[in-house]
């Protein structure tokens, strides 16, 4: 089966001021939905190793600790230092992280949806966020965030999972929360716009966003 490199989108989509900025970014695979991941129940992760993997990722992201992050992903070359540095100038913390999972039974992997709140510097209002990951297992049994080549089966699973009705409902919930934050806090809105522009300035030729 031919491998095709895809840009696994991790973090925040670089767009103009729009709800999708802080919300789940999906991988455009174009695959047919042969996997039934769209029908399964989205579950809160009870896997402490996966939960720790995602928590550690956000700690390294906040601190722009590329060495630490490299140990958490399948291909460190896909990490974009410039974008994480730009975000660190605005983001104080990632709080209330909660992981939801859809298992890919055949691959021993998971589509992970991380729901969290972004704390911008000097602003009390929290920005609701939702980010998607594909988590796989290495030969020595370690979980990693997968940034390598996707085969067609993996693409189809991811596409199917991202169309899951529970995932879409979670995405809508985050969108509504973000809109409320924008509507109710002008300072948050202005800071949000500044961060968006900064990320756009660093977007050209990126391998991984967010």
């Amino acid at each position: 089966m031919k491998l095709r490199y895809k840009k696994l989108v991790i973090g925040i989509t670089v767009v103009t001021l729009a709800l999708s900025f802080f919300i789940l970014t999906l991988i455009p695979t174009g695959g047919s939905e042969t996997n039934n991941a769209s029908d399964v129940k989205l579950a809160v992760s009870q896997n402490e190793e996966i939960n720790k993997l995602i928590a550690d990722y956000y700690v390294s992201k906040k601190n722009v600790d590329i060495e630490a992050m490299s140990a958490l992903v399948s291909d460190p070359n896909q990490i974009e230092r410039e974008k994480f540095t730009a975000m660190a100038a605005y983001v104080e913390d990632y709080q209330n992280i909660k992981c939801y999972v859809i298992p890919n039974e055949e691959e021993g992997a998971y589509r992970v949806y991380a729901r969290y709140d972004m704390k911008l510097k000097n602003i009390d209002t929290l920005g609701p966020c939702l980010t998607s990951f594909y988590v796989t297992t290495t030969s020595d049994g370690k979980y990693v965030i997968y940034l390598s080549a996707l085969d067609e089966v993996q693409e189809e699973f991811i596409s199917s999972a991202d169309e899951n009705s529970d995932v879409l409902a979670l995405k809508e919930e985050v969108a509504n929360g973000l809109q409320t934050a924008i509507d109710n806090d002008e300072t948050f809105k202005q800071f949000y716009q500044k961060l968006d522009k900064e990320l756009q300035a660093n977007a050209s030729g990126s391998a991984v966003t967010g």
Side-chain angles (χ1 to χ4, degrees), residues 8-37:
L8 286 183
V9 182
I10 291 182
I12 300 172
T13 304
V14 180
V15 291
T16 55
L17 183 60
L19 294 181
S20 59
F21 179 79
F22 274 111
I23 305 169
L24 172 69
T25 54
L26 307 181
I27 300 173
T29 65
S32 61
E33 294 186 9
T34 58
N35 193 299
N36 66 352

Side-chain angles (χ1 to χ4, degrees), residues 122-142:
N122 302 315
I123 297 176
D124 292 333
T125 298
L126 300 177
C129 305
L130 185 63
T131 297
S132 58
F133 302 87
Y134 190 52
V135 173
T136 60
T137 309
T138 64
S139 59
D140 58 356
K142 175 185 174 182

Side-chain angles (χ1 to χ4, degrees), residues 45-60 68 71-72 97-99 101 112 114 133 135 142-145:
S45 174
Q46 302 299 319
N47 188 317
E48 293 304 321
E49 292 183 61
I50 290 179
N51 295 342
K52 185 177 186 303
L53 170 69
I54 301 303
D56 289 347
Y57 168 80
Y58 281 108
V59 171
S60 62
L72 306 175
I97 301 171
K98 187 175 185 178
C99 295
V101 295
V112 179
F133 302 87
V135 173
K142 175 185 174 182
Y143 287 107
V144 294
I145 296 169

Side-chain angles (χ1 to χ4, degrees), residues 69-95:
M69 187 178 291
S70 296
L72 306 175
V73 303
S74 65
D75 185 357
N77 292 326
Q78 297 298 313
I79 297 172
E80 190 182 12
R81 181 191 300 267
E82 292 79 9
K83 182 149 299 170
F84 290 145
T85 300
M87 290 190 66
Y90 294 88
V91 179
E92 179 180 316
D93 199 10
Y94 301 94
Q95 302 177 0

Side-chain angles (χ1 to χ4, degrees), residues 28 34 40 63-64 88 97 111-112 116 120 150 205 207-208:
T34 58
V40 303
N63 298 329
V64 197
I97 301 171
R111 187 62 160 156
V112 179
Y116 58 96
L120 298 176
L150 290 172
V208 176

